[in-house]
Amino acid sequence: ADGGADCDGNSEDYQECGTDACLNPVDGQWSSWSPFGACSASCDGGVKTRTRECTEPAPQDGGQDCEGPSEDEKECGTKACKGEWQSWGSWSSCRPLDTRLQCGIGRRVRTRECSSPANNCGPVADSQDKKKCFAGKCKKPYPHHRQY
């Protein structure tokens, strides 16, 4: 342009592009499910979870993502939680076994409550403790009572 000689070679360089028309899209596929994890609760209901990933293969070149959930849950630990017995209460006074009398062989009783969850500590009979006692000497002998 300023009177010098023309340059050798092309003034532009080309590189091929846009040849991806022949790509094959690959849709994603799920991996196998992982084992279920630990239960979130040992009683009164919990859940176990397992997962899977969209990597077998992963979507490529415009392929579709995997369909469906990546996480699965199932119930576990559905057995009712066992309650715990609270401390024993005080012993009752000695009450005669024969309620017509105020003497002879008797019984003392103490009880305890079942903590949460209520009524799941075991047999109701376990909520009472009994022991024999002497309710006093009978003044008049009765054939069905032993005298002390």
Side-chain angles (χ1 to χ4, degrees):
D2 290 331
D6 287 339
C7 295
D8 289 336
N10 295 330
S11 62
E12 295 180 2
D13 190 17
Y14 297 95
Q15 182 176 8
E16 248 183 71
C17 64
T19 59
D20 294 343
C22 296
L23 286 180
N24 290 326
V26 176
D27 293 340
Q29 297 291 320
W30 290 112
S31 64
S32 297
W33 286 105
S34 68
F36 278 101
C39 189
S40 63
S42 59
C43 56
D44 281 350
V47 291
K48 288 181 179 184
T49 305
R50 66 180 180 171
T51 59
R52 61 183 179 173
E53 296 181 356
C54 188
T55 58
E56 301 293 325
Q60 296 175 20
D61 302 325
Q64 298 293 312
D65 282 335
C66 295
E67 290 185 21
S70 62
E71 197 170 276
D72 182 32
E73 292 181 344
K74 75 175 178 178
E75 288 183 8
C76 59
T78 55
K79 191 168 116 181
C81 289
K82 189 157 176 75
E84 291 185 26
W85 289 113
Q86 295 178 2
S87 298
W88 287 106
S90 300
W91 286 103
S92 69
S93 60
C94 187
R95 295 187 187 113
L97 294 178
D98 186 338
T99 56
R100 297 174 292 169
L101 305 174
Q102 294 300 314
C103 60
I105 298 172
R107 178 181 295 143
R108 296 174 72 116
V109 178
R110 66 180 180 170
T111 59
R112 61 184 176 174
E113 298 292 322
C114 180
S115 67
S116 190
N119 303 323
N120 197 20
C121 289
V124 173
D126 291 347
S127 68
Q128 282 193 346
D129 190 15
K130 301 171 187 171
K131 68 179 178 179
K132 286 184 179 180
C133 59
F134 180 62
K137 188 173 181 177
C138 294
K139 295 181 179 166
K140 191 174 183 185
Y142 290 92
H144 57 282
H145 269 72
R146 211 167 85 203
Q147 292 297 310
Y148 290 92

